[in-house]
Amino acid sequence: MTFYLLLATALFLMALYGVFASRHLLRRILALNVMSTAVFLWLVTVARAAPGLDPVPHAMVLTGIVVTVSTTAVAVVLVVRLRASHRRHDLP
Amino acid sequence: MIPDLFQIGPSLLFVAPLFAAIAAFVRPRAGAGIYLVSAGLITVASLALVLMVGTLGAWRMDLGGWVPPLGIGWQVDGLSVAMLLLTALVMGGAGVYRVAEGDAGHSPLFWPLWLFLWGGLNALFLSADLFNLYVTLELVSLAAVALIAMGGRTALVPAWRYFIATLLGSTVFLMGVALLYGQHGSLDMRLLQGALGPAAIELLASLLITLGLLLKGAVFPLHFWLPAAHGRAPSAVSAALSGVVVTAAFYLMVRLWFGPFSPMLTPALALALGAMGAMGILWGGVMALLQRRLKMLIAYSTVSQLGYVLLVFPLVASGILAAQAWHGAVVLILTHGFAKAALFLSAGVLIRSLGHDRIDRLKGPGQGPALAWLAFALGAVSLVGLPPSGGFMAKWWLLQSALAAGAWHWALVILAGSLLTAVYLFRVLGGPTAGAMTPSSDHSTRAMGFTALILALAAWIPGFVPIPLTGALADTWGMP
C-alpha cells in the first residue's frame, strides 16, 4: 500500500521534471502521459485500501484513460503540424 | 410541470451544444446555420436560468437521479448563472462575428470545436463534482488548443505552449483531487464542505488544485503562455479565450476557496494570492504598454485585469466589507469578459479593413471603420474603470473594501493598475480623431462591428441598471 503510494509520488515527480527538462516534443508528451499514469496508480491504490470495494476510483481512472488518449491524440497532431511547417521537433 | 424545468434547463445547456457540434461535423456546409439555431437556444436557456435563480433561488440537481457520493451533482446558483450569462453573450456574440466574417479561409472544423467549447464551459460552470470539473476543464482546453491552432502557421507554437501549460495544470489539479478523494472518499463540493480541516495532506491537495488553476488562469508568474496564444489566435477565438476560458480558472478558485477550502484560507495564503494578483496587474500593464501589435497589447491586458480578481482573497479575509469585495470581483469578471471580447473583435475588424494591427501605424480613430473604433473606445473606458461604466462599479467596490479595511497597499495597486490601463489603451485611441473616418464599406464589416459594439455596451450595463444580478448573486452557496 505505502509502497505503491510512494511509487506513484516518485513517478509524478519524475514526470514533472521531464515536462520541464526535455526539449523533444514527443518526450514532453510522454512525460505528461507518465504523470497522469502516476495519478491513476494513486487512485487505484486508494480504491484497494478502502474497506470493501470502492467503484468510484475505477470509474475515475477509466474516464481519465479516455481523456489521456484524447489529449495525446491532439498533442501528436500538433507535433505533426509543427514538424511540417517549422521543420523542427524540439522547442525550448 | 415546473420541477422538470429545473432539470431540463441545465441539461439542455450541455446537451444542445454537444448535439449541434456533432451535426455541424457531419454537415460542415450547414455549420453556420446549425450554429445560429443552437446559439439562440442556448442563449435563451441561459437567460431563463438567470431569471429562475433570481426569482426562485438556487437549486441542486443530481444527474440521472444518482445521489452523491456515487453520482455527480450540479449546482445552479448565483455565481453559476452569472458565468453562464457571460458565456452565452461572449460565445454567442463572437460566433455571430465569425458568421459575418464569411467562409473564406475557414476550416470546416471551426463550428464543431466552437460548440464543444461552449458546451464544455456550460458544464464547467454548473458542475459541483471535482472529478467532473477535471473532465470539463480538459474538454475546454482541447477545444481551445485546436481553435488557437486555426490562426495559421504563426499560431502553432503558441498553441503548443498553451497545450503543455494547460495539460500540466489539469494533471496537477487531478493529483490534488486524488489526494482529497483518498482522505474523504467524496468528490462533491457540498459533501466536502465542512469536512476539510487544516491537516497537512488536505492543505497539499488544495495547493495542488490551486497551482493547476493558477497555471490555467495565467496568473503572474505563470502567465508566460497567454499573450502569444491569445494574440495569435483568430480574433473571434481570442475574444472567447480572454473573455471566458481564462476566467473559468478564476471562477473555480473563488468557488473552492470560499466553499470547501475555506477552513484552510489563512491570512498568509490570502496575502500570497493577493500579491500574485498585484504583481500580475502591474507586470501585465507595463508589458501591454511596451507592445507594438494591438492584439498582443489586448492579450497582456488580460494578464493585468484578471489580477484584480485575486485581490478578493486578502480583501475578504480582512472581513471588512467582504460582500462588497466579493461582488466587485464577480462583476469584474463579467465586465472584463464583455469589454475584452469587444476589444478583440474590434481589433479583428481593424485588421480586416486596414490589413495590419501595428499600433504606430493605426494613427488613432481617424482611420478605419468608425463602428469598430466606437466599440473599442466603449470597451476601453469600461476596462479602465471610468464612471459610469460597469468596470467602474467593479473596481470601485474593490477599492471601497480596501479603504474600509485600511489596506492602503491594495488600494494603491488598484489605482495604479487603472492608471496603467488608461495609459496603454489611450495610447491606441490617442491619434487624430477627425479625418478619413470611413463608414463601414460592406455588410460583413458592419455586422462584425455591430457585434463588437453590443458586447462593449454589455460591459456598461452594471453601471446603469444597479446590478441586475444582485438578487441572483446573493443566492450563492458559500458566499461570504
Side-chain angles (χ1 to χ4, degrees), chain A residues 6 8 14-18 26 33 40 62 65 67 69 76 79 89:
Chain A
L6 284 177
M14 277 160 64
L16 196 62
Y17 173 78
L26 279 179
N33 279 351
F40 301 155
L62 281 177
I65 289 171
V67 170
V69 169
V76 172
V79 171
H89 45 67

Side-chain angles (χ1 to χ4, degrees), chain A residues 12 16 19-20 25 28-29 32 35-36 39-40 42-43 46 54-57 59-60 63-64 67 70-71 74-75 78-79 81-82 85-86 91-92, chain B residues 69-70 131 134-135 138 142 145-146 149 153-154 156-157 159-161 163-164 167-168 171-172 174-175 177-179 181-183 185 187 201 208 224:
Chain A
F12 189 83
L16 196 62
V19 174
F20 287 101
L25 301 181
R28 280 194 169 172
I29 297 174
L32 280 168
M35 211 162 150
S36 32
V39 181
F40 301 155
W42 183 283
L43 281 171
V46 165
D54 190 354
V56 176
M60 282 160 72
T63 315
V67 170
S70 324
T71 51
V74 173
L78 262 182
V79 171
R81 290 265 182 96
L82 274 168
S85 70
H86 290 68
L91 277 173
Chain B
L70 207 56
F131 187 76
Y134 160 76
V135 176
E138 289 291 53
L142 287 185
V145 166
R153 193 175 174 277
T154 53
L156 279 179
V157 175
W160 169 261
R161 294 234 162 89
F163 177 82
I164 292 292
L167 205 62
L168 191 61
T171 314
V172 173
L174 185 63
M175 191 68 202
V177 174
L179 284 180
Y181 188 83
Q183 291 297 303
L187 296 163
I201 190 123
L208 281 175
F224 55 91

Side-chain angles (χ1 to χ4, degrees), chain B residues 179-199:
Chain B
L179 284 180
L180 273 187
Y181 188 83
Q183 291 297 303
H184 293 283
S186 170
L187 296 163
D188 189 81
M189 281 204 248
R190 179 134 342 162
L191 290 181
L192 287 173
Q193 175 91 7
L196 299 186

Side-chain angles (χ1 to χ4, degrees), chain B residues 108-262:
Chain B
L109 288 177
F110 179 85
W111 291 119
L113 286 168
W114 187 258
L115 288 160
F116 271 129
L117 181 63
W118 196 342
L121 285 167
N122 283 345
L124 197 158
F125 294 134
L126 287 167
S127 182
D129 179 281
L130 287 174
F131 187 76
N132 195 226
L133 282 171
Y134 160 76
V135 176
T136 56
L137 279 172
E138 289 291 53
L139 199 59
V140 167
S141 305
L142 287 185
V145 166
L147 285 167
I148 294 173
M150 284 181 182
R153 193 175 174 277
T154 53
L156 279 179
V157 175
W160 169 261
R161 294 234 162 89
Y162 173 61
F163 177 82
I164 292 292
T166 191
L167 205 62
L168 191 61
S170 310
T171 314
V172 173
F173 179 95
L174 185 63
M175 191 68 202
V177 174
L179 284 180
L180 273 187
Y181 188 83
Q183 291 297 303
H184 293 283
S186 170
L187 296 163
D188 189 81
M189 281 204 248
R190 179 134 342 162
L191 290 181
L192 287 173
Q193 175 91 7
L196 299 186
I201 190 123
E202 289 167 6
L203 189 64
L204 177 66
S206 58
L207 287 180
L208 281 175
I209 289 177
T210 310
L211 184 65
L213 292 175
L214 290 173
L215 196 55
K216 281 176 173 291
V219 174
F220 183 88
L222 302 171
H223 65 283
F224 55 91
W225 56 267
L226 184 140
H230 288 195
R232 298 283 180 190
S235 294
V237 177
S238 310
L241 292 178
S242 265
V244 192
V245 174
V246 207
T247 56
F250 290 87
Y251 157 81
L252 281 180
M253 275 190 265
V254 168
R255 174 71 89 193
L256 288 169
W257 281 104
F258 293 131
F261 294 175
S262 51

